[in-house]
Amino acid sequence: QVELVESGGGSVQAGGSLRLSCTASKNNDGATCKGWFRQAPGKEREMVATAYTGGRSTFYLGSVKGRFDISQDNAKNTLYLQMTHLKPEDSAMYYCAAGYGSNCVFNSWGQGTQVTVSS
């Protein structure tokens, strides 16, 4: 499995932007998909965005479509999440994850980076 390290979180005002980064410890780790998840206090973790290896397809949580963009830079072993038009309800701990197998089972997780959006 691969080690994942997130960065780029912080505090912004509503309407602002942040770009999260997730750097993997190695390339060609066999992951078939990578994604971003978030969890706010007292709430369940939810999938925010998923990208399949090779950029074949991406999926987004409905509430972030059109505002968030997931991308990968394979040369840098890095996954990004560009977040724009942020809302207070986007505040959460954000985690990146790597998934394996044809069913994209996520089983490698980073430690998380905090995003706080104030109104």
Side-chain angles (χ1 to χ4, degrees):
Q1 292 188 349
V2 63
E3 292 185 3
L4 303 171
V5 179
E6 303 96 333
S7 62
S11 297
V12 296
Q13 290 190 330
S17 300
L18 283 173
R19 188 178 77 160
L20 305 183
S21 299
C22 172
T23 301
S25 59
K26 59 182 178 180
N27 202 355
N28 298 320
D29 56 2
T32 54
C33 60
K34 291 186 178 175
W36 290 96
F37 293 74
R38 68 186 182 188
Q39 187 168 20
K43 295 186 177 181
E44 293 187 355
R45 183 176 61 193
E46 60 184 358
M47 187 280 291
V48 175
T50 298
Y52 280 81
T53 301
R56 290 178 294 161
S57 57
T58 57
F59 296 94
Y60 293 92
L61 179 68
S63 61
V64 308
K65 280 183 179 179
R67 299 189 298 121
F68 290 12
D69 180 67
I70 187 171
S71 62
Q72 301 183 74
D73 185 335
N74 293 326
K76 296 182 178 180
N77 299 343
T78 301
L79 180 74
Y80 300 101
L81 184 68
Q82 179 68 50
M83 305 185 294
T84 62
H85 299 95
L86 283 161
K87 304 175 181 180
E89 52 264 43
D90 294 318
S91 296
M93 184 71 78
Y94 282 71
Y95 301 89
C96 70
Y100 301 85
S102 59
N103 292 329
C104 181
V105 177
F106 288 99
N107 55 22
S108 290
W109 295 84
Q111 295 299 307
T113 185
Q114 179 68 40
V115 172
T116 303
V117 185
S118 58
S119 58

